[in-house]
């Protein structure tokens, strides 16, 4: 924690210290209040290349960087993440109640009206939901729901095989056979 001879101390109680212990540098506040850093535009950068690590702008964004690339930024409407987001727990949107324990990994709520999830793809592409039991081969898509935007059908698969299709005109096929009624 550095010898007191190498510390610069501030305050009437000398509760703010700055020191270097030979390996690390410290700013240490032991007072009862908060440690406040003030400025209209505050940047934390690395020493070697002056790459941003964090940036705080007065009346504006807070930006966080990884290796000089902005990964998270706040705005007046929320925040934007660039890259993948991994969570080690659950995802809640507009709620703190997980709901049914067999389906509580992601919970979306609108207690004032209808609720839903939108999955969007290109005009002539497919939108899919996969039911997986593993991370390779067929275990990634044992079951599936597929909407084909090119011909506008919806298909349901079980055990990696399409078992039912709802056609754009309203007909139904089972394993490729068209139902007569």
């Amino acid at each position: 924690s550095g010898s007191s001879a190498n510390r610069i101390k501030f305050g009437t109680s000398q509760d703010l210290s700055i020191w270097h212990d030979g390996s690390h540098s410290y700013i240490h506040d032991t007072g009862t209040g908060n440690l406040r850093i003030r400025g209209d535009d505050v940047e934390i950068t690395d020493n070697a290349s002056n790459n941003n690590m964090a940036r705080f702008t007065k009346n504006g964004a807070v930006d966080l960087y990884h290796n000089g690339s902005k990964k998270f930024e706040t705005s007046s409407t929320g925040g934007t993440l660039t890259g993948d987001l991994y969570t080690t727990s659950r995802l809640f949107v507009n709620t703190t109640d997980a709901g049914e324990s067999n389906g509580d990994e992601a919970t979306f709520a609108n207690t004032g009206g209808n609720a839903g999830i939108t999955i969007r793809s290109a005009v002539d592409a497919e939108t899919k939901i996969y039911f997986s039991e593993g991370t390779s081969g067929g275990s990634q898509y044992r079951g599936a729901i597929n909407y084909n935007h090119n011909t506008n059908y919806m298909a349901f698969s079980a055990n990696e095989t399409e078992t039912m299709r709802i056609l754009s005109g309203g007909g139904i096929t089972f394993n490729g056979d068209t139902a007569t009624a």
Side-chain angles (χ1 to χ4, degrees):
S1 53
S3 72
S4 59
N6 295 330
R7 291 183 188 212
I8 299 172
K9 295 185 175 191
F10 301 92
T12 54
S13 300
Q14 304 220 343
D15 49 10
L16 176 63
S17 302
I18 299 175
W19 77 94
H20 182 76
D21 67 3
S23 298
H24 305 287
S25 299
Y26 300 88
I27 299 173
H28 189 193
D29 176 34
T30 59
T32 58
N34 297 328
L35 175 63
R36 295 182 176 169
I37 300 171
R38 291 186 177 187
D40 288 346
D41 194 10
V42 177
E43 295 179 350
I44 300 173
T45 63
D46 68 4
N47 186 41
S49 60
N50 207 30
N51 282 330
N52 281 327
M53 296 166 66
R55 186 172 184 181
F56 308 87
T57 305
K58 179 181 179 179
N59 299 324
V62 171
D63 301 327
L64 301 177
Y65 297 77
H66 176 81
N67 198 23
S69 294
K70 189 187 316 184
K71 296 298 177 181
F72 182 76
E73 62 184 303
T74 64
S75 68
S76 62
T77 59
T80 301
L81 173 73
T82 302
D84 296 335
L85 173 64
Y86 298 98
T87 178
T88 58
S89 191
R90 300 176 291 188
L91 173 66
F92 299 127
V93 177
N94 290 327
T95 186
T96 56
D97 184 359
E100 166 57 40
S101 64
N102 287 317
D104 65 353
E105 286 73 25
T107 303
F108 302 85
N110 178 0
T111 58
N114 298 332
I117 299 172
T118 299
I119 304 172
R120 182 175 293 119
S121 67
V123 174
D124 291 331
E126 296 180 333
T127 306
K128 299 179 179 188
I129 299 173
Y130 290 107
F131 301 91
S132 171
E133 62 190 22
T135 58
S136 65
S139 68
Q140 299 176 96
Y141 48 85
R142 287 283 186 250
I145 300 172
N146 174 31
Y147 189 87
N148 182 299
H149 297 277
N150 190 34
T151 57
N152 293 310
Y153 69 80
M154 181 174 281
F156 298 86
S157 298
N159 200 22
E160 303 172 41
T161 304
E162 182 180 313
T163 57
M164 184 178 86
R165 182 181 290 196
I166 302 171
L167 303 173
S168 64
I172 300 174
T173 66
F174 296 96
N175 297 323
D177 295 329
T178 305
T180 58

